[in-house]
Every structure is written in structure tokens, then in C-alpha cells.
Amino acid sequence: VISDLRAMDVAFGGQGAPIVPIGEKLLFEDYSLFLNLGGIANLSFHKKTDGNITVTAFDVCPCNRILNMLAEQQGLEFDIDGKIAASGGVSEALLQQLNGLSHYQQDPPKSLDNNFGIDTIYPLLKSSGLSDEDCMRTYLEHIIQQITISIKNNIKAVKNVKLLITGGGAFNTFLIEGLRKTLGEIDVSVDIPAEVVVQYKEALIMALIGVLRWREETNVLASVTGAAKDSIGGAFWLGTQV
């Protein structure tokens, strides 16, 4: 068993997250950009120079965590195909308020936990006085804009502009359509892989991180977390046969 994967990175001054980019670097070398649409949307940028790959990554904004909380107001676990959002309208006032939050003004490395969505963003949505549909549509537009801005601000570090999208949000067709439109305007192509990759990419990478720890090889990248150096993270608990 391997546990406490982030503790060593934190000890070296890093944020302990994101840690998935090491797996993207080793397993998905055909891509330069990665977007995971999970509870939190996060991006990874891979720059190849003289055969070496430098990885930077950060959390963009809360994603499915907020969308699912809004869907629950209508008795649903999630917004199937983005139909609730598609039926609503964008509130420019609320969108401006969301985009003005201090997290979006910070430079990477930066990471988020669910509390930012639960304690900061969700109350803003609920106090807006908008319908669930308009809240959903406005927040989805916020996600699209923040992802597009983040990629545009970092695109100079990428040569092959092909974006791999995974995570549950990849099944939100309305969200993906919006991303295809805005990212197409900055010449970024969107690729949705096979369903098994969409669902289990992060689980696969977590297993790989465990293998790297077992082999005593780097499994957390300082360029991503802001630590003083790369690390071999994780407490290794080796059992014995009885």
C-alpha cells in the first residue's frame, strides 16, 4: 500500500497538487495540452525542448462539483448532456462577479480544494436570485471562459496544440460544444478519447504513481506544484506473507 502521496512535495514547499501530470507526461506523449473536467477543472501544458519535456499544470476552476450541486436542485445527480444549462441564459452580472474572484488573478502554481466551490462560488450562485437554469448556464459559461483564458495565456509554451479532455465533464455535450467553439478560435483542437480513457485516466495514473514510488523514481513534478525540487512521494507499506 502506498499512501500520503503529497506529503513529500509539501515538505519541499510545493502545494502537493496537481500530481497527475507525471502520468500524462509518461503515458500520453502525443498530446501537448490536457484538460480534466472533474470536480475541479485542471490544465496541464507540456513543452518539449531538446528532447526534454517541461510540464506546468494548475487548477482552473471548480467544475462538476458546482454543476452537480445545481443539478441536485432539480432532483438529478448531474446535468445530462448539459440540457439544464442549455435551457438557461447567461447573467452578465453574475459572470463578471465570478470571473473577478481573486483565484483567477493568481499566477501558477495554484491549486484548489472543494471548499472554494462550496464556500465561495455556490453561495454566489444561490444568492443571485436567478433560476437554476440560468445559474447553470452562467456557471458553465464561466468554466468555458476560464479554461479558454488559461490556455490562451499559456499557449506560447505549446508547439502541438491538441487538447485531450477527460473526466466526467467530457460527457457534457453542451460544455464540450462551447469549448470546441471558443478554443477553435485560438487554433486549439479538442480530442475526446475512448470512454474508458475518459473515465479512468486519473485512476490509471494514480496506479502508475504508486509503481514509480515502489521503483523509487520521481512521481511528483516541482514544475507543477511549485516545490523546490521533484520528489518521490508516498509512504510505502510493504506487507509480509503469513
Side-chain angles (χ1 to χ4, degrees):
V1 175
I2 297 178
S3 62
D4 293 332
L5 294 174
R6 308 174 193 273
M8 185 65 72
D9 181 79
V10 173
F12 285 132
Q15 298 192 14
I19 59 174
V20 167
I22 183 67
E24 295 167 340
K25 176 181 178 181
L26 297 175
L27 300 179
F28 298 91
E29 59 184 4
D30 291 338
Y31 294 89
S32 301
L33 292 173
F34 298 85
L35 171 64
N36 184 68
L37 296 172
I40 295 170
N42 42 63
L43 280 164
S44 298
F45 301 82
H46 294 215
K47 180 181 179 182
K48 184 177 289 187
T49 306
D50 298 328
N52 296 317
I53 298 176
T54 301
V55 181
T56 57
F58 54 88
D59 290 339
V60 178
C61 61
C63 185
N64 295 337
R65 181 61 178 158
I66 298 299
L67 297 178
N68 292 350
M69 290 175 73
L70 291 171
E72 288 170 2
Q73 299 300 308
Q74 299 198 7
L76 299 171
E77 291 186 21
F78 57 92
D79 184 11
I80 301 171
D81 295 329
K83 292 179 180 178
I84 299 175
S87 68
V90 175
S91 165
E92 291 298 332
L94 177 59
L95 182 61
Q96 186 176 8
Q97 191 176 11
L98 290 167
N99 286 337
L101 291 171
S102 60
H103 170 76
Y104 305 118
Q105 319 311 318
Q106 299 174 15
D107 294 325
K110 56 182 179 179
S111 59
L112 290 169
D113 60 25
N114 281 326
N115 290 334
F116 179 68
I118 296 170
D119 298 336
T120 300
I121 286 184
Y122 189 69
L124 283 178
L125 297 174
K126 296 307 294 181
S127 64
S128 68
L130 299 173
S131 66
D132 292 338
E133 292 81 2
D134 289 351
C135 280
M136 185 82 81
R137 179 65 185 89
T138 301
Y139 193 71
L140 188 139
E141 183 65 25
H142 170 68
I143 293 171
I144 292 171
Q145 288 191 9
Q146 288 303 321
I147 290 171
T148 302
I149 290 169
S150 296
I151 292 177
K152 189 174 181 178
N153 288 343
N154 289 272
I155 204 68
K156 294 179 181 179
V158 180
K159 294 181 179 179
N160 180 22
V161 188
K162 184 166 61 170
L163 174 66
L164 181 71
I165 299 182
T166 55
F171 298 117
N172 186 324
T173 54
F174 189 64
L175 173 56
I176 297 302
E177 287 170 5
L179 286 170
R180 285 189 191 278
K181 179 180 179 181
T182 59
L183 294 178
E185 294 172 357
I186 57 174
D187 298 323
V188 174
S189 62
V190 170
D191 190 1
I192 307 296
E195 182 175 336
V196 67
V197 178
V198 171
Q199 290 185 316
Y200 300 115
K201 174 185 143 229
E202 292 212 343
L204 171 65
I205 291 176
M206 293 303 289
L208 173 62
I209 289 173
V211 171
L212 293 172
R213 170 61 185 89
W214 183 24
R215 289 163 46 171
E216 298 186 357
E217 298 177 17
T218 295
N219 61 3
V220 182
L221 300 173
S223 63
V224 170
T225 66
K229 62 179 181 178
D230 294 346
S231 61
I232 303 171
F236 184 23
W237 305 92
L238 181 62
T240 57
Q241 291 184 344
V242 178

